[in-house]
């Protein structure tokens, strides 16, 4: 970390460490932060009134980090969360790990006990830099007021450069109280980490171009890195010029428009069968900003055996980590594609696209919109209806479980940053606070939470934050009376031994009303559209408790450790039947 350079006239710019913290955030362009006070961070809260920054008081520090995370995912900016030492800091850990696993840029600031008592088991002392070392991109313990600005400026730089991620800055109470000279410009990081195009040499580019030219059955694997790099246009250009079909990861949804004719849909454990079969039959995979997660590959020893692979990713650690590749182009995706695209010649992909269409014909789900109402309310129908009602334009924050997978299958995302979901850590309780962050980042956008009855109960006290901030966002609880994804695994792999899978809930309508939020329950399909319309027309938050079919299963599914093509398909009596 670079130390702030001394200025010639310190007297004009001397501030407390706490004031320096806010002034630095202001200088970094921060307008909103999410936080919760406590003893070791009180000097910071005392100084807040002097700065034009909106502080959103949360109900739990995990919520603050998920809000900062949702804010970052929706806007592309760095999210900021603040907590006190000890329990405040440890409550942040799940949120930080969630952001780390999905490469989300955050700066988390914690108060720490005084520097003189560090290591003495002082009141509310925990070694939060030690605890978060494995789940942060970097972290700092700041013990002097003059180091506050340089540490924070470096934290912002690290959080958003290269592969983004969360950075924690722990500031002792005496560092917040002491004074130091403040000069924002002088506190800029000395070492700016530039990410060179590590292996983007002309021969490597030429090799990639030749692999694309020669391929008969290419597939683009579209990942989260497309959205993070802002490379959507380049990816569409590549796919269209070379007529290559595109399969998306969960976090890549929206990075390539769902309605595009070349979009196959989501790959992996709950991807549609034609998507996974295309990958297994492919002779060239072009992986763009995705990390071959195990939810995506199934068993590695049987993964895409016939395919050569090109991997474009900003993080060299991802290259050859899970899947060996023939050509690696390590750098920012948009910049790499800018070099590659002019060299790619139009190709005729019709034969391969026809083959995939035939696979699709065999497995395509009938348009569930047109399925007759059989008196049951299926989660897939609810989500598909929500997609139609919002014309696919809403920002959706999902929780984790079956409803998350149905959302991925039945809400079609055409634009980037419109799906906010915890992929890598799979953190239940994420959706509600993340949606709050998204709404604060993008107040003009329509924002919906889609949460399960289990996960919603993990962070529902944040309903109070929605009311406090007067946020106009809507909540859909997909209430199946179960920890549904757990029940599904027990049904399939544990002989239907539904241990601890049924879960009771409060009356969610009454719960919402107790917070001052309008709410309604929906039990039949015929009520879905009218209730969604009521929620959308209502000025202010609205919660809908969808009482859906209890023992419903997400298909297709790949059992853990199985090959990508060994899918458990929809049984013929499933309401979402296949042809
Ligand atoms: C219940 C559950 C079920 C799931 N089922 C599925 C499933 O069926 N299918 C599925 O796909 N996922 C599924 N997931 C999600 C899965 O666990 C992973 O989170 C997801 O596949 C990761 O997608 P990704 O590799 O695109 O994104 P990330 O994990 O975010 O990786 C992004 C990659 O892009 C790179 N990158 C970042 N910025 C840039 C840049 N500027 N330029 C170039 N590269 C960049 C990064 O280095 C990284 O390698 C599931 C999750 C849960 C919780
Ligand atoms: C914090 C946390 N604890 C446990 C899990 C394991 N888990 C994954 S899905 C799931 C069930 C989710 O139930 P619910 O929220 O009702 O959603 P549903 O699957 O029914 O749609 C559980 C317990 C998790 N992902 N996160
Ligand atoms: Mg449930």
């Amino acid at each position: 970390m670079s130390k702030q350079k001394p200025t010639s006239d310190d007297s004009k710019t001397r501030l407390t460490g706490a004031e320096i913290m806010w002034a630095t955030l202001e200088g970094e362009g921060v307008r909103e932060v999410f936080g919760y006070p406590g003893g070791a961070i009180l000097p910071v809260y005392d100084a807040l009134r002097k700065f034009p920054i909106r502080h959103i008081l949360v109900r739990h520090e995990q919520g603050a980090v998920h809000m900062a995370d949702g804010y970052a995912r929706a806007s592309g900016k760095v999210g900021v969360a603040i907590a006190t030492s000890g329990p405040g800091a440890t409550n942040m850990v799940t949120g930080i790990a969630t952001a780390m696993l999905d490469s989300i840029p955050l700066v988390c600031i914690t108060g720490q006990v005084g520097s003189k008592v560090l290591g003495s088991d002082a009141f509310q002392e925990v070694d939060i830099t030690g605890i978060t070392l494995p789940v942060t991109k970097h972290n700092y313990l700041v013990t002097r007021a003059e180091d506050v600005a340089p540490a924070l400026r470096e934290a912002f730089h690290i959080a958003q450069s290269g592969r983004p991620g969360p950075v924690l800055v722990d500031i002792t109470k005496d560092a917040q109280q002491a004074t130091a000279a403040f000069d924002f410009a002088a506190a800029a990081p000395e070492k700016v980490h530039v990410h060179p195009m590590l292996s983007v040499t002309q021969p490597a580019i030429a090799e990639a171009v030749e692999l694309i030219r020669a391929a008969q059955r290419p597939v683009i694997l579209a990942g989260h890195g497309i959205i993070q790099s802002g490379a959507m246009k380049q990816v569409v250009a590549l796919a269209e010029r070379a007529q290559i079909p595109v399969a998306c990861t969960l976090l890549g949804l929206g990075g390539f428009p769902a309605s595009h004719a070349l979009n196959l849909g989501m790959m992996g454990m709950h991807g549609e069968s034609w998507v996974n079969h295309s990958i297994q039959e492919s002779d060239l995979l072009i992986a763009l900003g995705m990390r071959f997660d195990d939810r995506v590959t199934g068993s590695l020893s049987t993964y895409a055996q016939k395919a050569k692979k090109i991997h474009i990713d900003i993080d060299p650690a991802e290259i050859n980590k899970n899947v060996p590749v023939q050509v690696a182009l390590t750098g920012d995706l948009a910049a790499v594609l800018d070099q590659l695209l002019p060299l790619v010649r139009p190709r005729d992909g019709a034969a391969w696209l026809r083959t995939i269409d035939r696979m699709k014909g065999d497995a395509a789900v009938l348009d569930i919109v047109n399925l007759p109402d059989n008196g049951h309310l299926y989660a897939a129908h609810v989500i598909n209806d929500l997609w139609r009602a919002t014309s696919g334009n809403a920002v959706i924050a999902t929780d984790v479980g079956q409803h998350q997978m149905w959302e991925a299958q039945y809400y079609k995302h055409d634009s980037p940053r419109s799906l906010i979901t915890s992929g890598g850590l799979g953190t239940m309780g994420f959706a509600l606070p993340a949606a709050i962050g998204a709404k604060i980042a993008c107040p003009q956008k329509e924002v919906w939470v889609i949460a399960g009855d289990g996960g919603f109960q993990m962070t529902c006290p944040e309903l109070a934050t929605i009311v406090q901030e007067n946020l106009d966002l809507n909540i859909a609880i997909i209430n199946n009376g179960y920890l549904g994804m757990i029940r599904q695994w027990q049904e399939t792999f544990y002989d239907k031994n539904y241990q601890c899978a049924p879960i009771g809930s409060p009356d969610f309508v009454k719960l919402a009303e107790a917070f001052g939020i309008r709410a309604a329950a929906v039990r039949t399909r015929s009520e879905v559209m009218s209730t969604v319309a009521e929620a959308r027309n209502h000025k202010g938050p609205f919660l809908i408790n969808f009482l859906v079919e209890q023992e419903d299963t997400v298909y297709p599914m790949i059992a853990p450790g199985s090959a990508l093509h060994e899918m458990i398909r929809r049984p013929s009596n499933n309401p979402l039947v296949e042809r």
Side-chain angles (χ1 to χ4, degrees), residues 452-454 478 480-484:
D453 44 337
I478 305 297
N480 52 12
Y482 276 105
L483 298 173

Side-chain angles (χ1 to χ4, degrees), residues 272-290:
E272 293 295 347
S273 60
W274 65 86
V275 189
N276 290 338
H277 280 307
S278 307
I279 291 169
Q280 291 299 70
E281 288 306 312
S282 161
D283 64 355
L284 177 67
L285 293 180
I286 307 167
L288 305 181
M290 55 82 71

Side-chain angles (χ1 to χ4, degrees), residues 480-493:
N480 52 12
Y482 276 105
L483 298 173
M485 191 55 99
I486 298 300
R487 192 207 58 74
Q488 173 165 346
W489 280 54
Q490 289 168 332
E491 176 184 16
T492 317
F493 309 118

Side-chain angles (χ1 to χ4, degrees), residues 226-551:
I226 295 176
I227 297 168
Q228 294 183 304
S229 168
M232 288 74 69
K233 278 200 186 113
Q234 288 92 330
V235 176
V236 169
L238 173 65
E240 286 180 351
R241 180 155 335 142
Q243 285 298 293
I244 304 177
V246 178
C248 296
T249 66
L250 175 68
L251 295 185
L253 293 176
F256 188 86
S259 57
H260 195 289
L262 288 167
N263 194 333
L264 301 178
M266 186 172 78
M267 65 180 94
M269 181 175 266
H270 293 293
E272 293 295 347
S273 60
W274 65 86
V275 189
N276 290 338
H277 280 307
S278 307
I279 291 169
Q280 291 299 70
E281 288 306 312
S282 161
D283 64 355
L284 177 67
L285 293 180
I286 307 167
L288 305 181
M290 55 82 71
R291 62 182 173 87
F292 292 107
D293 181 83
D294 56 68
R295 281 335 188 224
V296 156
T297 59
S299 116
L300 284 171
S301 59
T302 52
Y303 181 68
Q305 296 289 289
K306 303 169 192 162
K308 294 201 165 126
K309 284 122 194 156
I310 300 171
H311 194 178
I312 309 181
D313 201 288
I314 203 160
D315 186 353
E318 290 299 340
I319 306 295
N320 293 324
K321 186 180 85 176
N322 295 334
V323 173
V325 300
Q326 278 66 38
V327 178
L329 301 170
T330 316
D332 172 60
L333 183 61
V336 176
L337 288 179
D338 280 343
Q339 290 192 40
L340 188 73
L341 268 171
L343 305 171
V344 174
R345 298 268 69 86
R347 29 181 309 286
D348 178 7
W352 173 226
L353 292 172
R354 270 198 305 275
T355 309
I356 295 176
D357 257 354
R358 277 197 295 275
M359 295 187 211
K360 212 172 190 172
D362 163 52
V365 178
L366 286 176
D367 185 353
I368 65 169
V369 174
N370 299 322
L371 286 178
D373 183 354
N374 64 0
H376 295 259
L377 184 62
Y378 296 102
H381 282 152
V382 170
I383 289 162
N384 201 252
D385 285 353
L386 191 59
W387 168 63
R388 289 192 299 137
T390 56
S391 311
N393 289 327
V395 172
I396 309 280
T398 69
D399 219 74
V400 172
Q402 290 185 310
H403 64 280
Q404 179 188 28
M405 294 297 107
W406 280 312
E407 196 283 344
Q409 294 176 341
Y410 298 111
Y411 197 104
K412 311 290 179 192
H413 291 273
D414 272 336
S415 45
R417 305 192 181 282
S418 64
L419 171 59
I420 292 175
T421 196
S422 165
L425 201 67
T427 306
M428 284 172 71
F430 175 78
L432 183 68
I436 293 174
K439 186 68 187 176
I440 284 172
C442 307
Q444 74 292 355
K445 292 203 175 149
E446 177 173 0
V447 176
W448 279 80
V449 173
I450 298 183
D453 44 337
F456 185 74
Q457 292 186 66
M458 285 198 168
T459 52
C460 60
E462 301 299 349
L463 288 172
T465 310
I466 294 178
V467 175
Q468 165 195 289
E469 300 298 320
N470 197 19
L471 299 177
D472 185 3
L473 62 79
N474 296 318
I475 300 161
I477 299 180
I478 305 297
N479 186 348
N480 52 12
Y482 276 105
L483 298 173
M485 191 55 99
I486 298 300
R487 192 207 58 74
Q488 173 165 346
W489 280 54
Q490 289 168 332
E491 176 184 16
T492 317
F493 309 118
Y494 294 90
D495 210 15
K496 298 197 176 180
N497 181 12
Y498 295 158
Q499 282 295 320
C500 301
I503 186 164
S505 297
D507 180 332
F508 288 122
V509 172
K510 284 193 180 145
L511 181 79
E513 285 167 356
F515 281 94
I517 292 177
R518 280 263 299 271
V522 167
R523 290 178 180 77
T524 62
R525 185 150 188 224
S526 57
E527 301 165 282
V528 174
M529 281 306 228
S530 57
T531 316
V532 167
E534 189 187 345
R536 297 183 77 220
N537 292 332
H538 174 64
K539 287 208 180 343
F542 200 104
L543 180 148
I544 310 177
N545 183 21
F546 289 101
L547 293 137
V548 298
E549 200 64 11
Q550 294 212 320
E551 297 194 14

